[in-house]
Amino acid sequence: MAVLLAAGWLALPGVPSARADALTAAVEMPAAPPVAASTHNGSFSSSDYVLPVAVLVGAGAAAAYAYAHRNRRSLTRTTPASAPGAGAGAGGEGAAESRESLNLDALGALDTGSKEALVAADDAIRTSEEELGFAADQLEEEAVRPFAEAVAYARSEVSAAFRLRQQLDDGDPEDDEARRALLDEIVSRCADADERLDAEAAAFDRLRDLEHNAPQALAAAEASFRTLTGRTAAADSTLTALHQQYEPSAFAPVAGHVEEAKDRLVFATTTLNLARQALDADDNDTAAVYVRAAEGAVAQTTLLVEAVERRGRELADAEGAVGEGKVDEGKVDEGTAVGAETSVAEVEAAVAMAEVYITTHRGAVGCEARTRLYAARRHLELAGGAAESGPAGALARQAQSLAETDVHSFEETGNTGESALVSRGEGGLSGAVLGGIILSGTDTDGAGGGDGTGGTGDLGETGGPGSFGGGGTRRRKGGGGRF
């Protein structure tokens, strides 16, 4: 540094005769400036050395400060330094491995969070659609239109998010940054869906005013309950006939639906009675909570019974096709497609059966099964004919199989808790939690395991019935210790 400064000074105009001597002095660093004038190529005074000496002294002071500062920083640093002699290769490789590990951990956490967001948003939509249906039965179509539009918007956002989830499940893309971008979009779309539903929740409550209208809502739920009692008994007879006529594979997707329907009716009986007692005690707020729970049970019983009735009709139609020589009897027994002209209908049936199963068991069903169901819907919507509808049927069967696995896991590990209803000998609560009628006490709705892959909810931590709204509002009615 001193050499460079001195050389710069020598380049200044007006001192050509001192350049060589000054450069030598700068290199040799003399202890004191000369007191006699040089006579090299002319004469000049000692004042001509003042500027270079000052520059050299300043440069030396700056160098000393820099060295001391650097030494002090190395003694007081808090981040680990590279080992002596390790070189850039060893230290750089360790840092790179550490960064890669952190990135993978963050990506894994984001992946898990995206699954939880999808399950919660899907459940919020299903619950909102359910309560909207009861409101529509009692109110004018125009009155419920804004809420139907909110649900449609939320459904479109979550559908798009599930499409991205299917891409990730298929291994596309492989690049971590691209995967991160898709996961971020999934979480963002689920948040948008939640926000739209949450924004309408207060207005929906004002419209329905269930606390004030509890007597009318209870009367409607009781009427539906009485009708369903007879239909469930008829569905039981239908299922018995299917057992006698066909191989189990022909009706396997609905084989357990009658027992599930009976379980939901038990819960409906319990909650309807409690609602009636609350009304008799002029406690409309409590009555409203029980009415909402009973409505959920009635809705799921309807879905389960209708699925059995529909499967009975489908197999009867297939028998007719056999009699006309359109298909052979083996295909009916196996429950597979019943001919080119009706294969789209069969695919639609497979998608519908998976839809019913996941809806009525959503308290345990995780993200993967739901993703396959959304993919099946999309393929069915895009199918232009029988050949194109094939993937939808395969995806629907995958969805139901994965959902059944989640439910088996839930039933093996999840029904061990206590609750207010169970302790009083009141039944049907386990089925209500399994069906997502009564929300679990976990932070992630549905799939109580918390990873969006199927849950082990605790009945001792149940909340209240779900309500119209997104993640921020659907728990607002709460259980209040009632469940």
Side-chain angles (χ1 to χ4, degrees):
M1 175 68 75
V3 172
L4 292 174
L5 290 169
W9 171 78
L10 290 173
L12 293 173
V15 288
S17 62
R19 290 174 185 169
D21 291 339
L23 180 58
T24 301
V27 173
E28 294 178 353
M29 299 285 292
V35 295
S38 171
T39 58
H40 179 71
N41 291 332
S43 62
F44 51 89
S45 71
S46 61
S47 62
D48 291 329
Y49 285 98
V50 173
L51 180 59
V53 169
V55 170
L56 290 174
V57 171
Y65 173 79
Y67 173 79
H69 179 71
R70 184 167 58 252
N71 187 55
R72 182 168 61 252
R73 186 175 60 181
S74 67
L75 292 174
T76 59
R77 69 186 295 157
T78 57
T79 55
S82 300
E93 182 179 343
E97 289 178 358
S98 178
R99 286 194 299 271
E100 182 178 357
S101 177
L102 289 173
N103 287 339
L104 289 176
D105 288 346
L107 190 62
L110 182 58
D111 185 71
T112 298
S114 73
K115 292 178 181 178
E116 293 173 353
L118 278 166
V119 169
D122 187 43
D123 277 352
I125 290 169
R126 293 176 187 277
T127 301
S128 296
E129 287 177 332
E130 178 183 279
E131 189 171 13
L132 183 62
F134 283 100
D137 289 341
Q138 301 167 12
L139 301 167
E140 296 292 332
E141 180 180 352
E142 192 62 31
V144 300
R145 187 186 304 279
F147 309 104
E149 291 174 350
V151 170
Y153 173 84
R155 175 69 74 186
S156 67
E157 287 295 291
V158 172
S159 295
F162 271 113
R163 283 199 296 274
L164 299 177
R165 182 70 247 178
Q166 183 67 61
Q167 284 184 240
L168 293 169
D169 288 350
D170 291 341
D172 180 28
E174 296 181 359
D175 177 70
D176 284 349
E177 287 306 312
R179 289 178 64 83
R180 188 187 308 278
L182 291 188
L183 291 170
D184 284 338
E185 185 174 352
I186 288 172
V187 173
S188 176
R189 285 184 177 276
C190 290
D192 286 346
D194 272 340
E195 289 174 5
R196 180 64 186 273
L197 293 175
D198 285 337
E200 300 291 347
F204 184 85
D205 284 348
R206 289 192 297 271
L207 175 70
R208 194 168 190 212
D209 195 9
L210 192 56
E211 287 76 11
H212 181 266
N213 296 321
Q216 296 91 327
L218 176 59
E222 287 173 333
S224 297
F225 172 82
R226 287 190 292 270
T227 300
L228 282 170
T229 301
R231 288 181 67 185
T232 301
D236 197 2
S237 299
T238 298
L239 196 59
T240 299
L242 296 181
H243 272 282
Q244 296 171 349
Q245 291 179 260
Y246 305 104
E247 293 295 323
S249 59
F251 55 88
V254 301
H257 281 14
V258 170
E259 290 305 312
E260 294 274 5
K262 291 177 180 178
D263 183 73
R264 302 299 190 275
L265 286 177
V266 169
F267 184 72
T269 301
T270 299
T271 49
L272 289 171
N273 286 338
L274 290 170
R276 180 60 64 188
Q277 293 171 18
L279 283 179
D280 290 344
D282 293 327
D283 186 356
N284 280 30
D285 289 347
T286 298
V289 174
Y290 285 129
V291 167
R292 180 68 198 98
E295 288 177 340
V298 166
Q300 291 198 7
T301 303
T302 301
L303 289 175
L304 292 163
V305 168
E306 286 178 345
V308 175
E309 295 170 344
R310 183 169 57 248
R311 193 55 181 162
R313 291 193 301 269
E314 291 164 355
L315 292 174
D317 292 343
E319 280 290 336
V322 170
E324 296 174 8
K326 294 181 179 179
V327 297
D328 61 51
E329 188 172 355
K331 286 193 174 184
V332 178
D333 289 338
E334 293 168 7
T336 58
V338 294
E341 71 282 3
T342 58
S343 61
V344 173
E346 281 293 305
V347 170
E348 290 174 343
V351 173
M353 284 188 286
E355 180 74 57
V356 169
Y357 189 87
I358 289 175
T359 298
T360 56
H361 298 80
R362 62 180 181 264
V365 176
C367 185
E368 191 174 1
R370 297 171 193 245
T371 301
R372 299 298 178 274
L373 177 59
Y374 271 81
R377 285 179 186 165
R378 186 173 70 257
H379 278 282
L380 188 58
E381 290 170 359
L382 297 175
E388 289 79 7
S389 67
L395 286 164
R397 288 189 291 274
Q398 289 178 25
Q400 179 136 355
S401 177
L402 289 166
E404 288 171 354
T405 298
D406 289 342
V407 170
H408 292 328
S409 176
F410 177 91
E411 290 175 337
E412 289 174 0
T413 60
N415 294 331
T416 58
E418 270 295 316
S419 71
L421 285 182
V422 172
S423 65
R424 294 200 301 266
E426 296 157 350
L429 183 67
S430 61
V433 173
L434 175 64
I437 299 168
I438 299 300
L439 304 180
S440 68
T442 58
D443 290 336
T444 51
D445 298 325
D451 61 356
T453 57
T456 57
D458 182 356
L459 296 186
E461 298 181 347
T462 53
S467 303
F468 181 102
T473 58
R474 66 187 298 251
R475 293 176 175 270
R476 63 189 178 276
K477 293 191 183 303
R482 302 181 185 93
F483 294 96

